[in-house]
């Protein structure tokens, strides 16, 4: 390879690396919030199912992109603690309650539930009362 080709290749690599910069999300930014909620969704749904199984005949769900979901992430050297507040709903997004959960994710990716707290109930519309136990 001659010097001219080497300089051209080096220049191309420099321009390419300057133009394509990685994007980093801070804990309070929407992409990271969405990622954490998406990865924890099965664990969150499992906790919702457990709490509401004695209260409702159908299991409510939650949606991280509809709003009402709060997330707080605490970083530690050996683990990450994630506090989530969700508003589960049934049917056409009829809120049934508000719940708070705390998960611990260790450095191997194992998820442990530390706490579940039911904060409040929301009254269902009369035509949805049939799902109450």
């Amino acid at each position: 390879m001659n010097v001219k080709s080497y300089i051209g290749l080096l220049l191309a690599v420099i321009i390419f690396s300057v133009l394509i910069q990685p994007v980093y999300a801070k804990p309070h930014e929407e992409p990271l919030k969405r990622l954490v909620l998406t990865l924890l969704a099965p664990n969150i749904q499992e906790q919702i199912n457990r709490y509401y199984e004695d209260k409702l005949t159908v299991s409510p769900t939650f949606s991280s992109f509809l709003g009402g979901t709060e997330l707080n992430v605490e970083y530690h050297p050996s683990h990450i603690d994630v506090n989530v507040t969700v508003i589960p709903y049934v049917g056409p997004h009829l809120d049934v309650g508000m719940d708070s959960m705390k998960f611990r994710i260790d450095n191997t990716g194992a998820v442990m539930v530390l706490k579940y707290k039911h904060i409040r109930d929301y009254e269902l519309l009369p035509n949805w009362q049939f799902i109450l136990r």
Side-chain angles (χ1 to χ4, degrees), residues 72-89:
N72 182 23
V73 179
E74 301 169 12
Y75 297 94
H76 303 276
S78 62
H79 64 276
I80 299 170
D81 287 340
V82 180
N83 293 289
V84 182
T85 302
V86 296
I87 300 175
Y89 65 89

Side-chain angles (χ1 to χ4, degrees), residues 9-117:
L9 180 62
L10 184 61
L11 185 59
V13 169
I14 291 170
I15 290 172
F16 186 73
S17 65
V18 168
L19 293 176
I20 300 183
Q21 293 293 319
V23 176
Y24 298 99
K26 295 178 182 171
H28 62 279
E29 291 182 358
E30 200 61 33
L32 182 58
K33 176 182 176 182
R34 183 79 179 266
L35 175 65
V36 170
L37 290 171
T38 300
L39 293 174
L40 284 177
N43 304 89
I44 295 169
Q45 188 61 54
E46 180 182 3
Q47 295 305 304
I48 291 170
N49 293 348
R50 284 184 182 176
Y51 179 79
Y52 288 95
E53 71 184 345
D54 295 333
K55 300 184 179 324
L56 303 173
T57 60
V58 298
S59 184
T61 190
F62 84 103
S63 185
S64 61
F65 54 86
L66 288 177
T69 302
E70 295 179 23
L71 178 73
N72 182 23
V73 179
E74 301 169 12
Y75 297 94
H76 303 276
S78 62
H79 64 276
I80 299 170
D81 287 340
V82 180
N83 293 289
V84 182
T85 302
V86 296
I87 300 175
Y89 65 89
V90 293
H93 305 288
L94 302 171
D95 299 341
V96 295
M98 179 182 286
D99 303 280
S100 175
M101 298 160 227
K102 184 173 185 175
F103 298 97
R104 175 160 291 160
I105 306 167
D106 71 16
N107 287 337
T108 68
V111 178
M112 181 175 36
V113 181
L114 298 179
K115 183 171 73 169
Y116 185 96
K117 180 181 177 190

